[in-house]
Amino acid sequence: MGYKYNKENILETGYHVLRKNGYHKVGINEILKEAGIPKGSFYNFFESKEDFTVQVIQQYGRSNRQWMEKFFQQEMSPLALVRAFYKHLIDINEQDDYASGCLVNAMSNETGRLYDELAKASNESFESWIEVIAEIIKKGQDSGEITKAHTAKELAEFVHTGLYGTFARMKVTRSRQFMDQWFDMSMKFIEA
Amino acid sequence: MGYKYNKENILETGYHVLRKNGYHKVGINEILKEAGIPKGSFYNFFESKEDFTVQVIQQYGRSNRQWMEKFFQQEMSPLALVRAFYKHLIDINEQDDYASGCLVNAMSNETGRLYDELAKASNESFESWIEVIAEIIKKGQDSGEITKAHTAKELAEFVHTGLYGTFARMKVTRSRQFMDQWFDMSMKFIEA
DNA sequence: CTATATTTGTACCGATCGGTCTAATTGGTC
DNA sequence: GACCAATTAGACCGATCGGTACAAATATAG
């Protein structure tokens, strides 16, 4: 029962710190300092650093899925929505000065083969997002805007992991140039 | 002036340790132990952990490029070579039990926005490989096997970063299923 | 109010971090 | 052989790591 600190706020802080720095670079003390809580409270809320990170991923997975569902409810054609969605993600990363990419991609790459619980949480978030993207792509296929050469889920996975691939290039070049190039090619790929 | 230890061997050890564990998970002591050298020798060869890692990336970048150039000299059509190349990379990752992916992708994601020298080294290795892949794709375009809808370099970058994107999925699902799916879709994408 | 359980705050733990220092050893040159 | 520079060896440095211990403070139940 909530006393002084709020678990969701701590997870939110963890999201920002982990997204920018990765898992092994960040120490518990950095999170305590950033969130303004003492260590006792942290280990009251969370069993371990891994458990904390799992919950960060889960909370982000849920809130991002909700945001996506809302985004795809805008009044536009399915293909236009997909285009706007990825354009928006690229814009966000530019505003972020190319510092972070996606938490789930970062955690998957850095810890996916090292810690089972982190892998599971990352995978579940990813798949939950793919459901939403596949749904809008399916609508585009039904309306004839999007290719039926592959299933909606295959297209969603192909495009979204494609974006993840560009994050490595983005971080290293500190530029959106390659993401824009990827965008044009990917959007052409899914067009009917 | 080589005394007792060989710099290339130390870098080779570093390659394996860093590829599997990432940058921040690995301590100098682990590399010393794995390579069987004392700390004094390490800091005789390398200025710092970052300098060491830069040289690991550079050596791997060079040796991998040489391997690629040889691979593409096999007696096959350009498209068949590209297919065989990526099939082979997927096979390697399966044999590796999906533990590592690509060092350059891992370093780019984990450290690309954090350390300038690591970013530079990662970027240079990546671009050096893209040159080789673009070359074989160009040949495929000239022979009519590969689409001319995009330049050879654009296609090479799109495909290769696409593969990088799948590594996150691979590590988290511990399976080649998604890589195979990506392979089919990507190869279809570049076909004329 | 008292009794009890939970949360908060901080000191502390052994282990490890990246890196320095210096002595002993080695190899090459005269 | 003597001499010097480079290399090797590992003890040592302060800082930080993830996590524990425990007492003080706080909230809830009666």
Side-chain angles (χ1 to χ4, degrees):
Chain A
M1 309 183 179
Y3 274 41
K4 188 168 176 182
Y5 303 113
N6 177 284
K7 193 168 159 176
E8 266 112 50
N9 293 153
I10 304 171
L11 290 173
E12 173 75 13
T13 301
Y15 165 73
H16 291 291
V17 177
L18 288 170
R19 186 166 98 105
K20 179 174 274 178
N21 299 296
Y23 184 75
H24 293 105
K25 170 132 208 271
V26 172
I28 301 291
N29 288 320
E30 188 173 344
I31 288 158
L32 303 181
K33 194 180 156 195
E34 210 69 36
I37 56 164
K39 199 168 264 194
S41 295
F42 181 89
Y43 279 99
N44 179 41
F45 284 126
F46 311 105
E47 279 182 16
S48 64
K49 185 186 180 186
E50 184 180 3
D51 173 48
F52 169 71
T53 308
V54 163
Q55 293 195 44
V56 168
I57 294 169
Q58 288 171 340
Q59 170 162 300
Y60 173 61
R62 279 190 305 269
S63 80
N64 193 49
R65 181 181 165 129
Q66 281 168 22
W67 174 83
M68 285 167 65
E69 282 166 346
K70 220 173 190 172
F71 190 96
F72 289 139
Q73 277 165 15
Q74 292 173 94
E75 290 278 343
M76 288 167 132
S77 80
L79 179 59
L81 280 171
V82 172
R83 292 180 63 94
F85 174 66
Y86 283 106
K87 196 60 112 177
H88 181 71
L89 293 187
I90 294 172
D91 286 343
I92 281 177
N93 277 286
E94 181 184 22
Q95 284 153 28
D96 202 29
D97 206 18
Y98 315 115
S100 307
C102 170
L103 177 74
V104 165
N105 180 56
M107 290 296 118
S108 298
N109 270 306
E110 186 183 351
T111 71
R113 199 49 236 263
L114 260 19
Y115 310 100
D116 292 351
E117 296 304 314
L118 287 178
K120 193 167 163 254
S122 299
N123 189 38
E124 283 172 0
S125 283
F126 184 88
E127 291 193 333
S128 135
W129 300 341
I130 288 297
E131 280 177 24
V132 183
I133 301 169
E135 220 171 89
I136 191 75
I137 286 181
K138 183 72 177 56
K139 284 184 191 166
Q141 288 178 321
D142 291 342
S143 75
E145 272 187 324
I146 294 178
T147 178
K148 293 190 179 98
H150 307 278
T151 69
K153 194 184 179 197
E154 283 167 352
L155 288 172
E157 287 176 339
F158 184 79
V159 171
H160 208 71
T161 61
L163 175 71
Y164 281 3
T166 68
F167 286 149
R169 301 295 302 137
M170 168 192 89
K171 287 192 175 187
V172 138
T173 60
R174 290 98 191 259
S175 143
R176 66 178 284 161
Q177 187 234 312
F178 185 72
M179 305 182 88
D180 287 331
Q181 182 180 311
W182 166 85
F183 177 84
D184 290 339
M185 296 175 79
S186 292
M187 292 305 111
K188 188 178 275 187
F189 178 73
I190 68 167
E191 273 170 29
Chain B
M1 310 216 156
Y3 274 39
K4 188 168 174 183
Y5 303 113
N6 177 285
K7 193 168 161 176
E8 266 113 51
N9 293 152
I10 304 171
L11 291 172
E12 174 75 12
T13 301
Y15 166 72
H16 292 291
V17 176
L18 289 170
R19 186 166 99 105
K20 178 173 276 180
N21 299 298
Y23 184 75
H24 293 104
K25 171 128 206 274
V26 173
I28 301 290
N29 288 320
E30 188 174 344
I31 288 157
L32 303 182
K33 196 180 153 195
E34 210 68 37
I37 57 165
K39 199 168 264 193
S41 293
F42 181 90
Y43 280 98
N44 177 42
F45 284 126
F46 311 105
E47 279 183 16
S48 64
K49 186 186 178 185
E50 185 180 2
D51 173 48
F52 169 69
T53 307
V54 163
Q55 294 195 45
V56 167
I57 294 168
Q58 287 171 339
Q59 169 161 300
Y60 173 61
R62 280 191 303 271
S63 79
N64 193 48
R65 179 179 168 132
Q66 282 169 21
W67 174 83
M68 285 165 65
E69 283 167 344
K70 220 172 191 173
F71 189 97
F72 289 138
Q73 278 167 14
Q74 292 174 92
E75 289 279 345
M76 290 166 132
S77 79
L79 179 58
L81 279 171
V82 172
R83 293 180 64 94
F85 174 65
Y86 284 107
K87 198 57 113 178
H88 182 71
L89 292 188
I90 295 173
D91 287 343
I92 281 176
N93 277 285
E94 182 184 20
Q95 285 153 27
D96 203 29
D97 207 18
Y98 315 116
S100 308
C102 170
L103 177 76
V104 165
N105 179 56
M107 291 297 118
S108 297
N109 271 306
E110 186 184 349
T111 71
R113 198 52 236 264
L114 259 21
Y115 310 100
D116 292 350
E117 295 303 315
L118 286 179
K120 192 165 163 256
S122 300
N123 189 38
E124 285 173 358
S125 283
F126 184 88
E127 290 193 333
S128 134
W129 301 339
I130 288 296
E131 281 177 23
V132 182
I133 301 169
E135 220 171 90
I136 191 75
I137 287 181
K138 183 75 177 59
K139 283 184 192 166
Q141 288 178 320
D142 291 343
S143 75
E145 273 187 321
I146 294 178
T147 179
K148 293 190 179 98
H150 307 278
T151 68
K153 193 185 180 196
E154 282 167 352
L155 287 173
E157 287 175 339
F158 185 79
V159 171
H160 208 72
T161 61
L163 175 71
Y164 281 4
T166 69
F167 286 150
R169 301 294 303 136
M170 168 192 90
K171 287 191 177 188
V172 138
T173 60
R174 289 100 191 256
S175 142
R176 63 178 285 162
Q177 188 233 310
F178 186 71
M179 305 181 89
D180 286 332
Q181 182 180 312
W182 166 85
F183 178 83
D184 291 339
M185 297 176 78
S186 291
M187 291 307 110
K188 189 179 275 186
F189 179 74
I190 68 169
E191 273 170 28

